[in-house]
Amino acid sequence: MKSSASSVPDSAGSAAGPATGAWAPLRDGVFRALWFAQLGSNVGTWMQTVGAQWLLVEHTTSTTLVAAVQTASLLPVMLFSLPAGVLADVLDRRRLLLVVQLGMAVVAGVLAWLTAVGLTTPAVLLVLTFLLGCGQALTGPAWQAIQPELVPREQIPAAATLGSLTVNLARAVGPAVAGVLVAATGPAAVFAINAVSFLGVVAAVAMWHRRPQAGTARPERALAALHAGTRYVRNAPSVRRILIRSALFVVPGSALWALLPVVASSRLRLGAGGYGLLLGALGVGAVLGALYLSRLRTHLSANRLLVASALVFGGGTLILGVVSNVAVVTVVMVLTGVAWLVSLSTLNSALQLSLPAWVRARALAAYLLVFMGGQALGSLAWGALAGPFGSEPVLAAAAALLGATALSVRWLPLRALTGKLDRTTSAHWPTPNLVFEPEPDGGPVLVVKRYRVAEPDHAAFLEAMDLVGLSRRRTGATRWSTYRDGADADLFVEVFELPSWEEHLHQHESRLTGADAEFQQRADDLAEGEPTVEHLLPADTQD
């Protein structure tokens, strides 16, 4: 139940009222048990990472293999994030978490045993790390999606803050503890602790008696749900921009995480404990960022926070490559950890506020795909480059790219309306009036809507219809166009196509939001009289 891209803390440590205070969700026994289990599991994961990377540092001089530990743990996100988002929407999330977490406990236990008896080769380590990464990929969207089921809506921001703190506290504690244990007993002990941490999550999830969910009469089919999720992301400009900004930051940013063990061992001459100290410094910085982010937001816009965090993280990356003083590097890593948290939190919160409920898990899966997949590929690439060129010039190049990332905010900023549109569900479409009921998988379905618009309003109407078109495509349409009648200059015809009647019913019942209703109302207000709607099905559709 781990998520390295957790929701953003807005007010950690604030003295809000009893319903929305930073610690209010912990008053609920189920949430409290899950939170502590997640914290323990995240600590176990960071201990696992330190043990795996240090095991390779001791047995190989290949920087590519050392960096491949991150790649092996993050690459599964590229392969399974989107299917995992679908699973989180169409399956019982509690059962999904139980099964996957139990499987991860078994894999981590096997790794601990093989290491204890001396059978863990680099290939075995990377394969088992990959399997653990598969488990993380499958549970990430599910964990994000159950938050509204655990706490009242008013406590969701506080729950998100606490979720983020588990990751960052684990980053501060896990590496330091792992460094001490690896130095004293070897990596087998930390692998065993990671296995036990998964069992803690299994126990906590088993205690949660999930309330029956009010599902629809037509639950989404897996493949159709996958297509609907990717279609939404493609047609949501604010979401696409967030994903682009995530990639621009995380790919060069991954160089620091990938090469930190190499620099700690070869240039700083640190043992496992010293490497854990540096990771702990990054974690402490992330915790500080979480605690003070709300203050920063009162002085800086989201785009300025992205600029500042990219510059600070780039400076930390450069210093790691050129400075040999351990104390200086440690202090700089704290500041770098603050920048990491601020950038990720700014992007993640913008995404959370931009998503409707029906597609939240799938869109968050796309974010995890970009974020963690970018880390995986970036880590592999930076590790491969450090082999022939050395870590110093590679870290300098990554720092330069982070500087370019900061500059790019001028041309690719977060959009002005990001997170400000009404994404609550709105059933503002009337039920289609048909003389026969089509089969759910019957299609394609063609919807035709006719508007009569006075000549002075033509330009404003077409501008309004651009937003309507994005709404149609986000919620199910595979094709959309607006036409003008050649024999009647004031008659405009909107046409959009959906793959099936079932998809159109989902569009009617659960996918439209308050913002979609507003876009449609703007267009309808410019029309003379009530627009007419027709639903066209294939001619061979049976009565």
Side-chain angles (χ1 to χ4, degrees):
M1 195 153 61
K2 303 164 183 159
S3 175
S4 59
S6 291
S7 300
V8 183
D10 285 326
S11 57
S14 66
T20 57
W23 309 105
L26 289 176
R27 297 172 188 168
D28 179 87
V30 173
F31 183 92
R32 185 168 59 249
L34 289 169
W35 187 83
F36 278 108
Q38 186 190 20
L39 175 61
S41 191
N42 283 331
V43 170
T45 290
W46 275 102
M47 294 176 70
Q48 154 89 24
T49 299
V50 172
Q53 289 184 319
W54 206 256
L55 183 64
L56 289 178
V57 166
E58 290 182 339
H59 289 84
T60 179
T61 59
S62 171
T63 57
T64 303
L65 273 179
V66 175
V69 171
Q70 278 206 47
T71 302
S73 62
L74 299 177
L75 185 60
V77 177
M78 299 185 64
L79 303 176
F80 304 121
S81 274
L82 294 180
V86 173
L87 292 176
D89 283 336
V90 302
L91 297 180
D92 183 274
R93 292 166 187 156
R94 177 179 177 273
R95 186 173 300 173
L96 176 65
L97 289 170
L98 281 172
V99 171
V100 176
Q101 292 288 325
L102 188 58
M104 294 171 75
V106 171
V107 172
V110 169
L111 177 58
W113 176 76
L114 290 175
T115 304
V117 298
L119 298 178
T120 301
T121 64
V124 168
L125 176 63
L126 293 176
V127 168
L128 294 179
T129 300
F130 178 82
L131 291 177
L132 291 173
C134 291
Q136 289 182 306
L138 290 174
T139 55
W143 172 242
Q144 294 276 352
I146 68 171
Q147 295 296 326
E149 299 181 39
L150 300 175
V151 297
R153 180 177 178 82
E154 295 78 12
Q155 292 183 2
I156 289 177
T161 298
L162 292 169
S164 180
L165 284 178
T166 64
V167 177
N168 295 309
L169 286 171
R171 183 182 285 119
V173 173
V177 174
V180 173
L181 285 177
V182 169
T185 65
V190 299
F191 297 158
I193 291 174
N194 191 36
V196 173
S197 75
F198 290 121
L199 294 177
V201 175
V202 171
V205 175
M207 292 170 54
W208 172 36
H209 298 291
R210 190 184 186 206
R211 292 188 295 269
Q213 301 300 299
T216 66
R218 285 169 290 272
E220 292 187 84
R221 305 181 189 187
L223 187 58
L226 178 60
H227 291 161
T230 55
R231 190 162 50 238
Y232 183 91
V233 172
R234 287 200 310 269
N235 292 285
S238 294
V239 173
R240 292 202 313 269
R241 182 60 56 83
I242 293 168
L243 298 182
I244 290 171
R245 292 241 53 93
S246 299
L248 288 174
F249 178 76
V250 76
V251 172
S254 64
L256 182 144
W257 299 101
L259 298 177
L260 185 62
V262 177
V263 173
S265 175
S266 62
R267 190 159 53 78
L268 299 180
R269 306 296 180 186
L270 298 174
Y275 170 51
L277 176 66
L278 294 180
L279 276 179
L282 285 161
V284 169
V287 173
L288 292 174
L291 294 175
Y292 290 99
L293 181 58
S294 59
R295 296 186 185 181
L296 292 175
R297 284 177 172 157
T298 63
H299 301 290
L300 298 173
S301 67
N303 284 310
R304 289 185 176 182
L305 285 173
L306 292 178
V307 171
S309 57
L311 289 175
V312 172
F313 199 86
T317 301
L318 180 63
I319 288 172
L320 180 66
V322 299
V323 174
S324 298
N325 186 295
V326 175
V328 172
V329 172
T330 302
V331 172
V332 169
M333 288 303 100
V334 173
L335 297 176
T336 306
V338 173
W340 180 261
L341 186 282
V342 168
S343 185
L344 268 59
S345 296
T346 301
L347 293 167
N348 189 273
S349 62
L351 182 62
Q352 291 273 13
L353 293 171
S354 300
L355 297 174
W358 71 270
V359 76
R360 182 170 288 121
R362 282 163 278 182
L364 285 168
Y367 171 73
L368 291 173
L369 172 63
V370 171
F371 172 73
M372 299 183 75
Q375 270 196 290
L377 294 180
S379 295
L380 187 62
W382 296 120
L385 289 172
F389 298 108
S391 59
E392 291 84 356
V394 169
L395 287 169
L401 288 177
L402 284 163
T405 294
L407 291 175
S408 71
V409 173
R410 179 176 181 180
W411 297 278
L412 292 170
L414 296 182
R415 293 177 174 269
L417 293 178
T418 298
K420 299 178 181 179
L421 297 175
D422 180 5
R423 294 303 187 190
T424 56
T425 302
S426 172
H428 59 275
W429 280 6
T431 301
N433 185 18
L434 305 179
V435 298
F436 64 90
E437 185 66 26
E439 291 294 327
D441 58 355
V445 176
L446 200 66
V447 182
V448 180
K449 188 170 184 177
R450 304 178 191 276
Y451 308 79
R452 181 164 294 280
V453 183
E455 193 278 333
D457 295 325
H458 285 184
F461 174 78
L462 291 174
E463 182 178 348
M465 289 303 292
D466 287 339
L467 295 176
V468 171
L470 284 173
S471 169
R472 304 288 197 239
R473 289 191 288 261
R474 278 196 301 269
T475 56
T478 55
R479 292 194 299 160
W480 177 90
S481 295
T482 299
Y483 299 91
R484 191 177 183 185
D485 192 329
D488 186 345
D490 292 340
L491 181 60
F492 291 82
V493 181
E494 177 194 6
V495 179
F496 60 97
E497 182 180 295
L498 298 103
S500 69
W501 181 246
E502 183 177 54
E503 279 292 296
H504 189 45
L505 291 178
H506 284 308
Q507 190 178 42
H508 265 268
E509 296 167 357
S510 61
R511 294 181 180 174
L512 297 172
T513 66
D516 296 316
E518 181 182 346
F519 299 153
Q520 182 65 72
Q521 193 60 50
R522 289 181 195 173
D524 289 352
D525 288 345
L526 293 168
E528 296 179 339
E530 189 71 21
T532 62
V533 181
E534 303 167 23
H535 294 83
L536 307 181
L537 296 108
D540 60 355
T541 300
Q542 298 296 314
D543 291 6

